[in-house]
Amino acid sequence: TLISNLPGFVYRCANDREWTMEFISDGCMEITGYAAADFIGNRRITFNDIIQLEYREPLWQKWQDVLRERKHFEDEYPIITAGGETRWVWERGRGVFSNQGSLLFLEGFITDITERKRASEELRKSETRYRLLYENAGEGIIVYDRNFVIIDANRRAEEISGYSRNEVLGKTVIEAGILHPDDIQAAATNMSQLLAGINVLSNKYRFIRKNGDVRTCLITGAAMRGDDGSVQSVTSIVTDVTEQARAEAEIRASDQRYRALFQYAAEGILVADTETMRFVQANPAICSFLGYTEDEMLRLSVKDIHPHESIERAAKEFHSATESGSYTARDLPCLRKDGVVVYADIIISSMVLDGRPSTVGFFIDITKRKEAEREIVQSEEKFRSVVEKSHMGIAIVNDRAEYVY
């Protein structure tokens, strides 16, 4: 039937604090873990009982407001399934009134949005991390659209140009006055090359600061492409290289910071040649994590540090960074020299090393977390086994004196 094929379930219930069900379709089993009959007349459990506690009163108040205004109800909230899992649902419903205006019942539709909520949360975290790095980057970052209109600029770009972000947003680099007139044609040529298919270009241009000073900057532009391959925007990394001596000192300092970070980072770091997938750099942390010496690591490739059944996935994750510029491979099994399988979240990024396209991976060891998760599952299984096989009656009561087991 139409109802049985819906990605959720429909209901009809009373406007009471238990949401006493008069009808609920069978789709509720897949989402809640309870059969429809369990809710009818509160036979086994009330629908209110499966709503996460802190959401119950706000949902009740919102429904009452909606009914007074004769509007549709719509909200998202978490429920606890029969298996104890927390899932998010989206509900839309309305009150059904008699001709005399009295409320007869509520009816509506509920569907599972757990995966969407998880994806939204991951996106929010990712965007937060991006903005943190973006705003605190040591280099200026300016983002243009395909027409050379500035759509974003970070704090360091403000310092280099002398202009605030609000003074340049919505203007082309020519209108903003930050690009030297003699460099406009070269910049336009580079933009055309990016639009034509080249992904990254670097050149030196002269910036005119707000106070009139002229600074020479190294600009590295990277094209950000949409699913159809067309350029959506261009991100430029801006480095002030006006004073050569200062620039050289900064390069040396940067190199020292990189080497210190690489050598003493708690996370394992591997750099591989993008084409051959063979490792060209390995820091001490990754050698310890995988049980190899540095010389041994540099004789290996990406396929050598993963279990056989995970090699195809590892190669796919590796090339995902090449295609997107940055990628995070989660819960990826890694194979130590001694044959033990460990697990890592790997942040993978594309880079150019000594003129060669390379891929760098930052390994975050999650083995203990995986073991802890496995132990929790085993502990729960043992608990249930003991309880189920016990000859004594066992009950668990919550703080409201309600039986939960």
Side-chain angles (χ1 to χ4, degrees):
T1 66
L2 177 61
I3 290 179
S4 64
N5 288 316
L6 289 172
F9 59 91
V10 296
Y11 67 85
R12 175 181 290 177
C13 71
N15 182 40
D16 59 29
R17 286 185 174 269
E18 306 302 331
W19 309 116
T20 302
M21 292 292 171
E22 300 175 12
F23 171 79
I24 186 168
S25 65
D26 292 336
C28 69
M29 171 65 83
E30 183 175 350
I31 295 176
T32 70
Y34 294 97
D38 294 336
F39 292 110
I40 302 301
N42 303 327
R43 184 174 303 167
R44 178 183 173 193
I45 191 170
T46 74
F47 195 80
N48 193 58
D49 287 337
I50 70 171
I51 298 173
Q52 196 161 298
L53 184 60
E54 60 268 30
Y55 285 82
R56 296 176 185 176
E57 184 62 25
L59 286 173
W60 168 260
Q61 294 300 334
K62 184 172 182 177
W63 258 114
Q64 305 320 300
D65 293 341
V66 165
L67 292 172
R68 277 192 296 273
E69 298 173 8
R70 302 291 182 94
K71 294 182 178 179
H72 280 82
F73 172 90
E74 186 174 321
D75 209 343
E76 301 173 358
Y77 53 89
I79 63 170
I80 308 300
T81 69
E85 178 186 6
T86 298
R87 301 196 69 79
W88 279 84
V89 297
W90 172 83
E91 178 181 354
R92 180 174 173 81
R94 68 185 182 95
V96 177
F97 296 84
S98 69
N99 293 334
Q100 290 72 38
S102 59
L103 178 64
L104 300 176
F105 48 79
L106 312 180
E107 63 180 14
F109 174 73
I110 294 176
T111 191
D112 189 341
I113 59 167
T114 304
E115 293 306 315
R116 193 195 79 191
K117 292 287 287 188
R118 287 174 181 167
S120 296
E121 179 62 17
E122 286 301 314
L123 177 61
R124 184 193 65 78
K125 291 179 180 178
S126 176
E127 289 177 343
T128 299
R129 290 193 294 267
Y130 167 76
R131 293 309 303 185
L132 179 65
L133 292 172
Y134 182 85
E135 291 299 339
N136 293 285
E139 306 293 342
I141 303 175
I142 302 176
V143 184
Y144 317 90
D145 68 14
R146 58 184 295 118
N147 296 313
F148 234 12
V149 174
I150 300 171
I151 57 178
D152 204 358
N154 75 341
R155 174 189 55 80
R156 179 58 180 150
E158 292 178 316
E159 294 173 356
I160 292 173
S161 70
Y163 290 93
S164 70
R165 187 180 339 214
N166 289 336
E167 288 178 295
V168 299
L169 292 186
K171 299 178 180 179
T172 66
V173 291
I174 298 173
E175 293 169 340
I178 61 176
L179 189 61
H180 194 286
D182 293 344
D183 292 341
I184 290 175
Q185 184 57 51
T189 299
N190 273 6
M191 176 62 84
S192 297
Q193 290 176 310
L194 290 169
L195 293 174
I198 295 177
N199 289 324
V200 180
L201 283 174
S202 293
N203 268 303
K204 290 181 181 178
Y205 299 101
R206 285 165 291 179
F207 269 27
I208 302 176
R209 287 175 50 83
K210 188 176 182 179
N211 63 7
D213 289 346
V214 177
R215 310 293 292 180
T216 299
C217 297
L218 176 65
I219 311 296
T220 301
M224 304 292 111
R225 302 185 184 277
D227 294 337
D228 60 356
S230 64
V231 174
Q232 304 299 307
S233 63
V234 173
T235 298
S236 292
I237 308 301
V238 183
T239 305
D240 187 341
V241 294
T242 304
E243 301 175 22
Q244 192 61 37
R246 184 185 302 174
E248 290 174 354
E250 284 298 317
I251 291 172
R252 287 195 298 272
S254 177
D255 182 63
Q256 291 171 356
R257 289 193 297 270
Y258 167 77
R259 291 183 183 278
L261 174 63
F262 189 83
Q263 290 297 319
Y264 300 108
E267 294 82 13
I269 304 174
L270 274 174
V271 181
D273 183 282
T274 300
E275 182 179 346
T276 66
M277 298 176 67
R278 298 194 68 82
F279 299 126
V280 295
Q281 289 187 11
N283 77 337
I286 196 64
C287 293
S288 175
F289 180 59
L290 295 176
Y292 291 95
T293 65
E294 182 180 357
D295 287 341
E296 288 173 332
M297 286 298 312
L298 299 186
R299 291 196 291 269
L300 302 177
S301 73
V302 172
K303 296 180 180 180
D304 295 320
I305 65 166
H306 298 283
H308 177 75
E309 62 274 13
S310 300
I311 290 176
E312 183 177 349
R313 178 194 166 193
K316 182 178 179 181
E317 306 275 32
F318 180 91
H319 291 299
S320 292
T322 304
E323 297 167 359
S324 63
S326 181
Y327 186 81
T328 299
R330 301 193 181 279
D331 293 351
L332 192 61
C334 300
L335 185 64
R336 285 174 49 86
K337 181 181 178 180
D338 58 12
V340 174
V341 175
V342 290
Y343 293 84
D345 285 345
I346 308 175
I347 303 172
I348 311 168
S349 299
S350 296
M351 61 181 291
V352 176
L353 181 66
D354 297 331
R356 291 277 300 175
S358 303
T359 301
V360 59
F362 295 83
F363 288 65
I364 302 171
D365 186 0
I366 61 167
T367 306
K368 289 184 178 179
R369 190 195 78 192
K370 296 283 289 186
E371 292 173 352
E373 291 172 351
R374 191 181 305 114
E375 289 175 0
I376 290 172
V377 172
Q378 292 174 348
S379 176
E380 290 177 349
E381 290 175 350
K382 288 179 182 178
F383 170 79
R384 289 188 176 278
S385 176
V386 169
V387 170
E388 295 298 334
K389 294 179 180 179
S390 174
H391 297 295
M392 299 174 62
I394 298 176
I396 300 176
V397 182
N398 64 18
D399 57 359
R400 300 188 306 279
E402 298 172 336
Y403 288 102
V404 297
Y405 183 85

